[in-house]
Amino acid sequence: MMDKQQLDAYFEAHREEMVRDICRLVRIRSDRSDPKPGMPYGEGPAKALAEAMEIAREMGLSVTNYDNYVCTADLNGSPTELDILAHLDVVPVSDGWTVTAPFAPLEKDGRLYGRGAADDKGPAVAALYAVKAVKDLGVPLSKNVRVILGTDEECGSSDLDYYYAREKEAPKSFSPDADFPLINLEKGGLRGRFTASWTEDRALPRLVSADGGTKLNVVPDKASALVEGLDREVLARCCETVSAETGISYAVSEENGCLRIDAKGTGAHAASPQEGNNAVTGLLRLLVSLPLADCEGFRRLKAVESAFPHGDWLGKAAGVAMKDDLSGETTLSFDIFRYSLTGLEGQFDCRASILANDENLRDVIKARLAEGGVELAPCSVFAAHHVPAESPFIRTLLRCYEEFTGEKGYCVSIGGGTYVHRLENGVAFGCAKPGVNNRMHGDDEFAEIDQLILSAKIFAAAIAEICG
C-alpha cells in the first residue's frame, strides 16, 4: 500500500492544478451532436478529447487517439493490467441552472459546479492525476495502467465498441463514474419504443401536439403541449388541481390560436427516477384530466398514461414490478414522448432486476400497451452485469478505499449501466461519496473537490497494488 502521508502531501501540492485541469474540460460543451468529418459525435466531444489528450501529454503520459472515438493515456510500455475508463461527453443542459452557467465552472464552498464536474470530467481528471502521482513518486510497477477516455457514454457507449474492436480488455477494469464504495452489480434492462397512429379527428376541444424529453437516460424536466378549442379558465383550474397532485408546475399561454401548456418538473438520471419529477408523465396526467373530445388519438394517449402514470417508477401499472435481494427493485422511467394529430411515439428506460427476462418484462409491457392500441417496437431485455464480491480484484479495491477513508468497504447494486457494463471483469469504483446527490444529469451539477482528491489518492494506491 502506498504511503498515505506521501499521497496527502502530493495532492495538497497539486490541488489547484487538478481543479484547473477539470475546469479546462468543463468549459467545453461536449454533448453529442451531428457527426462531422473526423468527429463521430460532433465538434464538442472531439474538442473535449483533444483537451484531455493535451492534459495527459503535459503529465508525461503516452497518448493514443482512436479516431476521436476514445483516447488512451498509458503510464508505461509494460503489458496492461488495469484499465480505468472515464468519459468526456455530457448530457444536454436546461435553463434551470442558478449557481453558474453550465459551462462556466465555478468553485464555491468546496464544490466545483458545472456540467460534467461530477459526470464524468472531474473523475476522469482524478484518474489521470492518480497515474501522474504514481509516476512522479517513482512507484515501481511491473505492469501498465491505461486510462481510457471516451466520448459516447451518455448515448450508448458505441465509442467503446469501436475501441474494443481494436484492443483487448485488460484483466481488470474500473470506471470512476458512479459512487463509492464499489458497484459490482449493474441491473439489466429494457429500452423500449412504442407507437400508435390514427386518422386525424377535427372534433374540439382536442390535443394538437405534445413534446417532452431529449435523452432516453434522462428524466425530463420539461414538456409542452398545444390544445385547441378549450376554455382557458377550464384549463387553468385543471392545471391548479393536477399541480397540487404531482408537484409539476404548469404555465399557460396562447400560440397560433391554441393554448400552450409548459410543464416544468425536475430532471434526474433515469437509473434513479425517484430523484426527479418527470415532466412528461406530469404533462400526460394533466392532459388526460382535460375535457377533450373523445377520439382515437385521445384514447391512445389515455392508454399510455394508464401504463406509465405519474410517480410510478416501479412499473406497477405496467405489470412489471419485481425485486430480488441481490439487485433490488426494477425501475421504469418514461423519458421521451411525441404526439401529433395522427400519431404518437414514446420511449422508456427500464433498469431491471436480475430476475427479468423477455417473458416477464418485455412481453408484459407489450401486452399492456396493446390493450390500448399502442404497439411496442421489437426490443429485448439485456442482461445484468455482475462481478462476484469475493474476487481478489474487488477485495484489493475495497482495501484501498478503507485505508484512505477509514470507512467500511462493501459492494452495492445499481440500476445504472456504467461504462464497464459489458466488460467481463469491470466494476464501478467512485467517485461520489455515498449519500451525496451531485445532481448528475440535473441543474447545478457539482463535484466535491475534496472528494475528487480523495478519489485520486485511492486510485493511486489501487494502481500501485494491482500493477506493482
Side-chain angles (χ1 to χ4, degrees), residues 287-288 290 292-303 339:
L287 294 174
V288 300
L290 300 178
L292 303 183
D294 181 50
C295 65
E296 187 174 356
F298 194 38
R299 290 194 294 272
R300 300 294 175 264
L301 181 79
K302 287 181 175 179
Y339 181 100

Side-chain angles (χ1 to χ4, degrees), residues 342-358:
T342 58
L344 63 79
E345 174 185 352
Q347 296 182 58
F348 62 86
D349 185 347
C350 179
R351 310 298 174 103
S353 157
I354 59 174
L355 300 175
N357 53 46
D358 284 340

Side-chain angles (χ1 to χ4, degrees), residues 149-346:
L149 301 175
T151 53
D152 190 43
E153 191 272 346
E154 301 292 0
C155 297
S157 300
S158 63
D159 52 346
L160 292 190
D161 292 338
Y162 187 88
Y163 172 76
Y164 284 115
R166 290 154 179 79
E167 300 288 355
K168 293 181 179 180
E169 295 179 22
K172 304 173 181 68
S173 304
F174 75 77
S175 177
D177 187 22
D179 301 334
F180 282 124
L182 186 145
I183 295 165
N184 71 320
L185 193 154
E186 300 174 11
K187 294 178 183 177
L190 180 70
R191 297 187 177 105
R193 174 180 173 270
F194 56 84
T195 59
S197 60
W198 55 83
T199 302
E200 180 182 349
D201 191 319
R202 296 183 179 275
L204 298 178
R206 67 177 181 172
L207 175 64
V208 175
S209 65
D211 185 282
T214 57
K215 296 289 185 181
L216 184 55
N217 64 346
V218 179
V219 175
D221 68 330
K222 57 185 176 182
S224 63
L226 291 178
V227 177
E228 181 181 13
L230 185 67
D231 182 80
R232 184 162 184 164
E233 289 301 318
V234 171
L235 175 57
R237 287 196 297 271
C238 289
C239 288
E240 183 177 358
T241 299
V242 178
S243 181
E245 296 173 357
T246 63
I248 300 290
S249 63
Y250 304 98
V252 178
S253 58
E254 295 186 9
E255 182 177 308
N256 298 326
C258 298
L259 292 177
R260 177 185 172 96
I261 307 165
D262 286 290
K264 184 71 173 71
T266 305
H269 197 295
S272 304
Q274 71 277 10
E275 295 180 1
N277 195 0
N278 193 316
V280 163
T281 58
L283 177 65
L284 265 61
R285 175 68 188 86
L286 172 66
L287 294 174
V288 300
S289 74
L290 300 178
L292 303 183
D294 181 50
C295 65
E296 187 174 356
F298 194 38
R299 290 194 294 272
R300 300 294 175 264
L301 181 79
K302 287 181 175 179
V304 171
E305 194 276 337
S306 176
F308 307 120
H310 187 72
D312 179 17
W313 51 75
L314 298 178
K316 294 179 180 178
V320 295
M322 67 182 85
K323 65 181 294 186
D324 65 88
D325 292 338
L326 195 59
S327 58
E329 292 180 310
T330 290
T331 62
L332 194 154
S333 185
F334 177 14
D335 297 328
I336 297 176
F337 185 67
R338 311 282 183 258
Y339 181 100
S340 72
L341 291 170
T342 58
L344 63 79
E345 174 185 352

Side-chain angles (χ1 to χ4, degrees), residues 422-466:
R422 287 173 282 182
L423 300 184
E424 183 177 352
N425 199 28
V427 299
F429 188 51
C431 280
K433 183 188 300 182
V436 173
N437 179 4
N438 296 95
R439 302 172 191 160
M440 293 183 185
H441 292 201
D443 299 334
D444 295 329
E445 175 185 346
F446 69 87
E448 295 180 319
I449 295 173
D450 284 348
Q451 181 66 19
L452 288 177
I453 291 172
L454 175 62
S455 300
K457 296 174 187 177
I458 295 169
F459 299 159
I463 292 167
E465 287 276 310
I466 293 167

Side-chain angles (χ1 to χ4, degrees), residues 121-145:
K121 294 175 177 178
V125 172
L128 288 172
Y129 268 84
V131 177
K132 175 178 165 60
V134 171
K135 180 179 74 71
D136 290 352
L137 294 173
V139 178
L141 300 181
S142 61
K143 300 289 182 64
N144 178 47
V145 55

Side-chain angles (χ1 to χ4, degrees), residues 23 26 99-101 104-109 111-114 446-447 449:
C23 291
V26 171
V99 178
T100 186
L106 174 68
E107 185 176 348
K108 180 180 180 181
D109 299 329
R111 296 175 170 181
L112 183 64
Y113 288 87
F446 69 87
I449 295 173

